[in-house]
Amino acid sequence: MARRNLFQPPAPPIAGTGEQSVPDGKARFPNTGAMSGVKSTLKDLSSNAVREIAPDVIEEDGPKDRLAFADSDVARLAESIRLHGQQVPIMVRPMAEKPGYYRIVYGRRRLRALRLLGQPAKALVRALSDDEAILAQGQENAQRLDPSFIEKSLFAAELAASGYETAVILDALAVDKPMLSRMQKVARSIPETVVRMIGPAHGIGRRRWEELADLVNNHDLDLTAIAETALAPASETSDGRFGQLADAAAAALREPLIATKAPSPALPILSDDGIRLAQVTDQAKAVTVKLSKTEAPEFAMWWLENAEAELRRLYKEWQSTKKAD
């Protein structure tokens, strides 16, 4: 049977009935299914349309999966856009709490270049949830920009701190749980301030970052103090700065006196009835909490199962006290 073209105008209605005439002379109600198909098709087409949006109504807050852009990089991109136009659109999503404004999903560097030029941004507009926006951001940048291992590690840490579920983080970074665990270990061990002093270090892979993290954890090194000395004057390349820091950290272990903070005496945590629940130790790079499986085994196992949720709850409480201050 011949297929009807959905975009073909319907036959004129039969007078006084509101019904459509059909070739065989029988009357029926309008084809609402066909009209629904037309609307769906038009909606799909419009969702892929690129709009021009003023950069000053696009906000850049939210988790970032790359380290700061150099002004020179933005300037070079701006000159390319000036000569050849914006070839790749950015993606934004409407801000429900601020009508007429948008939040960037991906394309931050392009947006800054367009701001420098004073040109509107060509943008795809999507009504995305927070999770959907993070997935789109991570997947687009992974395909186009190939972030370095340390950039992905910081991104994963920021997402976790912002309350995103592990499944969302895994999908956004396109990694498995063992790799995410390695990223989180590096992000916990190496201060973000040190990472930003080094830069993205695209030539430095996971293994060398893990070796540096192990060096810090096993010897309780004050990596920030070492970096402030070793990276001044710094190498011109990010990879070179990493090498300088790694060499300085290894050299610090050979010094007779290493500028490290001596661990504080363990602080016991007792229940109201005197049971030793845990002990807390303040070290240079970490606060360690050890729960007793001997004196409070059931509580220790409960904590093991609920630690993630409880720590997030405590972190939110702490954030609320900071805002109140």
Side-chain angles (χ1 to χ4, degrees):
M1 183 173 68
R3 202 178 218 177
R4 182 167 178 259
N5 184 351
L6 296 181
F7 293 95
Q8 180 180 348
I14 300 175
T17 65
E19 298 174 346
Q20 290 177 305
S21 62
V22 291
D24 60 4
K26 296 180 181 178
R28 59 179 172 82
F29 288 101
N31 189 337
T32 55
M35 292 306 297
S36 175
V38 171
K39 291 178 181 178
S40 177
T41 301
L42 292 176
K43 182 178 179 181
D44 291 342
L45 290 172
S46 64
S47 69
N48 291 320
V50 175
R51 297 171 51 185
E52 288 195 348
I53 301 175
D56 58 359
V57 299
I58 303 175
E59 300 191 358
E60 293 188 57
D61 57 340
K64 299 175 179 61
D65 55 0
R66 299 183 70 194
L67 293 172
F69 308 117
D71 291 341
S72 57
D73 289 340
V74 175
R76 280 194 296 270
L77 179 58
E79 178 63 13
S80 174
I81 292 175
R82 187 186 69 80
L83 294 174
H84 308 292
Q86 182 187 346
Q87 300 299 313
V88 180
I90 66 174
M91 181 179 285
V92 299
R93 54 179 178 145
M95 297 177 64
E97 70 279 14
K98 201 171 180 180
Y101 282 75
Y102 302 86
R103 180 169 287 119
I104 190 77
V105 176
Y106 59 69
R108 285 175 170 80
R109 193 165 64 104
R110 277 164 279 170
L111 178 60
R112 294 187 188 180
L114 290 163
R115 281 180 175 153
L116 190 63
L117 293 171
Q119 294 183 8
K122 294 179 180 178
L124 295 166
V125 180
R126 296 286 187 270
L128 303 176
S129 67
D130 288 347
D131 287 357
E132 290 168 338
I134 286 299
L135 292 175
Q137 176 184 349
Q139 292 170 4
E140 196 269 353
N141 284 343
Q143 292 170 5
R144 293 190 63 251
L145 304 174
D146 191 23
S148 65
F149 173 79
I150 195 62
E151 286 180 307
K152 292 179 181 178
S153 298
L154 290 183
F155 186 41
E158 186 175 2
L159 292 179
S162 299
Y164 287 92
E165 297 294 333
T166 298
V168 174
I169 301 174
L170 293 173
D171 287 342
L173 293 170
V175 297
D176 56 17
K177 284 188 176 180
M179 178 58 73
L180 179 60
S181 177
R182 289 171 169 174
M183 290 177 171
Q184 291 171 330
K185 182 190 79 170
V186 169
R188 286 193 305 267
S189 304
I190 302 176
E192 184 176 343
T193 53
V194 172
V195 174
R196 294 192 178 280
M197 292 170 70
I198 294 172
H202 286 281
I204 306 300
R206 170 188 58 80
R207 182 180 59 81
R208 295 184 67 188
W209 281 106
E210 283 189 304
E211 289 174 352
L212 183 59
D214 289 339
L215 206 62
V216 171
N217 294 331
N218 295 337
H219 301 281
D220 201 24
L221 290 176
D222 186 348
L223 199 61
T224 301
I226 295 173
E228 288 173 349
T229 302
L231 301 183
S235 169
E236 293 184 358
T237 69
S238 182
D239 289 2
R241 289 192 292 274
F242 177 91
Q244 284 182 323
L245 180 60
D247 291 344
L253 297 178
R254 296 191 291 269
E255 296 293 330
L257 295 175
I258 301 176
T260 58
K261 178 181 176 182
S264 301
L267 173 66
I269 305 296
L270 305 178
S271 67
D272 292 341
D273 53 0
I275 296 176
R276 186 187 184 93
L277 301 176
Q279 68 179 27
V280 180
T281 305
D282 180 14
Q283 298 175 314
K285 299 303 299 176
V287 174
T288 304
V289 180
K290 292 184 178 180
L291 276 69
S292 174
K293 286 187 176 180
T294 303
E295 299 188 47
E298 293 182 357
F299 174 69
M301 293 309 297
W302 176 89
W303 175 258
L304 185 63
E305 295 174 357
N306 296 276
E308 182 177 358
E310 288 298 309
L311 285 173
R312 286 181 176 174
R313 181 183 62 79
L314 291 171
Y315 183 75
K316 287 180 180 178
E317 287 184 8
W318 173 79
Q319 281 184 316
S320 65
T321 61
K322 295 287 287 183
K323 291 177 181 178
D325 294 341

